[in-house]
Amino acid sequence: IKTRIALLSNSTTINRQGIIEALERLVEKIMKLDVGKEAKYELFNSSICKISLNEVVEGLKKIKNLTIQSLFAKRNEGNYSEENIDDWCEKIKDINPDKVQIYTLDRRYPS
């Protein structure tokens, strides 16, 4: 029996070579990307680690058979704006993933 393993990641360690090598062993690689501009990225990810949006995008471009998962939320600090979505679309084009998943939640977005 072959086991299929999937991973859902926030993408904040994608700039580490060992991570990229490990991801290539997985069947399903689902990586988060919710924003298209650095300032919004810092707002959403500031407490996680120090990696720039550009570094995330460059790392994601190296992954084959990639799915990008995104959450768009309204409110003052949300990322559901025409500007953010336009910028996000440009990042998605640059990364060129196999799939994109867009979802919503019934909970507050990260603050």
Side-chain angles (χ1 to χ4, degrees):
I1 299 174
K2 287 190 172 187
T3 303
R4 294 174 50 101
I5 299 174
L7 172 78
L8 172 59
S9 170
N10 64 12
S11 303
T12 57
T13 59
I14 195 66
N15 62 337
R16 298 180 189 168
Q17 186 58 36
I19 298 295
I20 292 171
E21 291 168 4
L23 286 171
E24 289 306 320
R25 297 179 184 161
L26 301 174
V27 175
E28 293 288 331
K29 296 159 281 230
I30 305 168
M31 309 296 284
K32 293 280 293 157
L33 184 68
D34 300 314
V35 298
K37 286 269 192 220
E38 189 68 37
K40 192 63 76 171
Y41 177 80
E42 289 174 8
L43 178 67
F44 271 53
N45 298 288
S46 62
S47 64
I48 297 171
C49 74
K50 299 298 179 196
I51 178 175
S52 71
L53 177 60
N54 185 56
E55 289 174 298
V56 169
V57 170
E58 290 304 311
L60 292 173
K61 287 167 53 174
K62 296 176 184 176
I63 306 300
K64 296 178 181 125
N65 304 315
L66 175 65
T67 298
I68 297 291
Q69 186 181 83
S70 303
L71 165 69
F72 296 106
K74 291 185 179 182
R75 303 226 172 110
N76 295 339
E77 299 300 327
N79 62 345
Y80 185 73
S81 69
E82 186 173 337
E83 179 184 7
N84 181 66
I85 292 174
D86 287 346
D87 294 335
W88 175 85
C89 285
E90 290 302 315
K91 299 291 189 259
I92 295 298
K93 288 178 193 175
D94 195 25
I95 297 166
N96 193 29
D98 292 339
K99 299 174 193 171
V100 176
Q101 298 174 348
I102 299 175
Y103 69 103
T104 61
L105 294 176
D106 286 334
R107 65 175 173 84
R108 292 182 42 203
Y109 54 87
S111 57

